[in-house]
Amino acid sequence: MARTPTALLSPADQERRRGLRVMKGVALGALLFMAVLFVIAFVFQERVEWLAYVRAAAEGGMVGALADWFAVTALFRHPLGIPIPHTAIIPRRKDEIGQNLGEFVETEFLRGDVVRTKLETTAVAARLGEWLSDPTPTPGKGTHAERVSAEAADMAQGILRALSDDDVQSVIEDLAREHLIVPEWGPPLGVWLERIVASGAHHQAVDLAAENIGSWLAANRDAFGGLVSRRLPGWVPKLAHRLVDDTVYNEAIKFVAAVQADPEHPARKAVDGYLERLADGLQHDPTTIGRLEDAKSSVFDSPRVRELAAQAWETAKTGLLSSLADPASGLRVRAAAALAEIGTRLTTDAALQRRVDGWVTDAAVFLVDRYRHDIASIITDTVERWDAAETTEKIELMVGRDLQYIRLNGTIVGALAGLAIYTIAHLLLT
């Protein structure tokens, strides 16, 4: 199996590879030591009786070392390159291992009760509040609240730039058409106007109109010069012209003053009557309703609606992008201040902490119960995409060094077992 080039390994993996090579050397050294010891003891055991015990121990040590070498090697590759059945387990069963790992995580960790127990013992709201309200600025990044505000602003800018202007304008146009053009305006406006007239709320508008007209008349006396007199016959004396204009002006002044002074003035009654008839017509008269609908359609016809949608979106987008990009903008400053205030409340308001902790816990449990299979499938799908050789290499680097201790321990345990078996057999049989 080809090994991953050292240049492609992370520094941690390179350190693990060095440690693995050292432990392999130690385990092989123990096997070679037992082999040399066996040869010496086997040759001289006839001359030196106790060397038979050494031979038995060395023989057991070699058997243990070889057996554990085979077992450890069979996890990652075929021993000596020979395709012995049930060897190279990890590369052959990589996908199955990933599936089993995903199922284990799903059934043992991604459970609602496990998540709830963990979150209920974690002061999520208090910790979040302390972090958000921390006034200590990070060099170049500001406070935590400012950092969150900046990240949210960057995200919002990305979303705004990614949106298609034509699509957004079409949505605005569709919404305007759905809520402004398609619904019939007459009856709702009639009901609204009827309620205003019944409550007398329009009287203030009449007072304001009379006051403004009176102020205009007082400031524009010359506007009445010739207003009526120019329509008189040419034989009428000039003095009569001025008298007529002055009379009209004074009568207008008196009329407006009378309307202002008398709440029961006939002009006010006339306005009330007109508004009452208009309210009734907007609700029940098809002609009045149709005229209003025609006027509405002429104002909000398709080209104008699209132009309005384009202008509204362009204005809103430009303003938002400008505010989001400027750290000193009112939007960014207020957002950071609001986040810091929320953080302060989360650290001091116990009731709010309980509510937020409850929301977070319930939301997490809901997501885990509903999507835990999808979450666990990330493990399965990721392992399936891995290359078998690289996966084996990674796993061996992670656990291989500890597995070499198994080889070393097997050598020692085998030697002790061989010595014990030979000793017991010698005592019983002789």
Side-chain angles (χ1 to χ4, degrees), residues 298-322:
S298 66
V299 173
F300 294 104
D301 58 1
S302 182
R304 293 181 181 178
V305 169
R306 188 160 188 82
E307 181 181 355
L308 177 63
Q311 292 176 351
W313 167 243
E314 186 63 28
T315 301
K317 180 179 179 180
T318 303
L320 282 174
L321 287 175
S322 176

Side-chain angles (χ1 to χ4, degrees), residues 247-269:
T247 301
V248 171
Y249 176 74
N250 292 329
E251 288 299 323
I253 292 289
K254 291 178 182 179
F255 177 79
V256 173
V259 171
Q260 288 181 286
D262 185 6
E264 301 297 328
H265 194 278
R268 291 179 178 269
K269 297 295 183 182

Side-chain angles (χ1 to χ4, degrees), residues 9 68 331:
L9 295 175
D68 287 340
L331 179 62

Side-chain angles (χ1 to χ4, degrees), residues 203-383:
H203 291 163
Q204 294 182 355
V206 174
D207 292 339
L208 180 61
E211 181 180 349
N212 288 333
I213 292 173
S215 299
W216 184 86
L217 288 174
N220 295 273
R221 171 67 180 81
D222 295 340
F224 278 78
L227 183 64
V228 177
S229 61
R230 71 169 59 100
R231 292 174 175 80
L232 295 176
W235 51 267
V236 177
K238 294 295 183 182
L239 182 61
H241 285 205
R242 178 174 293 182
L243 180 61
V244 169
D245 289 337
D246 291 343
T247 301
V248 171
Y249 176 74
N250 292 329
E251 288 299 323
I253 292 289
K254 291 178 182 179
F255 177 79
V256 173
V259 171
Q260 288 181 286
D262 185 6
E264 301 297 328
H265 194 278
R268 291 179 178 269
K269 297 295 183 182
V271 172
D272 292 348
Y274 170 76
L275 293 177
E276 289 174 355
R277 291 191 301 274
L278 178 60
D280 183 71
L282 288 173
Q283 295 180 72
H284 308 107
D285 182 17
T287 302
T288 305
I289 296 173
R291 290 170 61 187
L292 177 62
E293 292 301 312
D294 292 340
K296 177 188 68 176
S297 298
S298 66
V299 173
F300 294 104
D301 58 1
S302 182
R304 293 181 181 178
V305 169
R306 188 160 188 82
E307 181 181 355
L308 177 63
Q311 292 176 351
W313 167 243
E314 186 63 28
T315 301
K317 180 179 179 180
T318 303
L320 282 174
L321 287 175
S322 176
S323 296
L324 291 171
D326 183 7
S329 67
L331 179 62
R332 290 275 296 271
V333 171
R334 283 192 290 271
L339 287 170
E341 182 180 353
I342 291 173
T344 301
R345 286 196 59 194
L346 286 174
T347 58
T348 57
D349 190 337
L352 180 60
Q353 289 178 7
R354 289 192 295 270
R355 288 198 300 271
V356 172
D357 287 340
W359 295 336
V360 172
T361 301
D362 292 341
V365 170
F366 170 79
L367 292 174
V368 165
D369 285 340
R370 185 159 186 165
Y371 299 106
R372 63 179 181 175
H373 179 72
D374 298 320
I375 298 172
S377 67
I378 296 175
I379 299 174
T380 304
D381 297 341
T382 302
V383 173

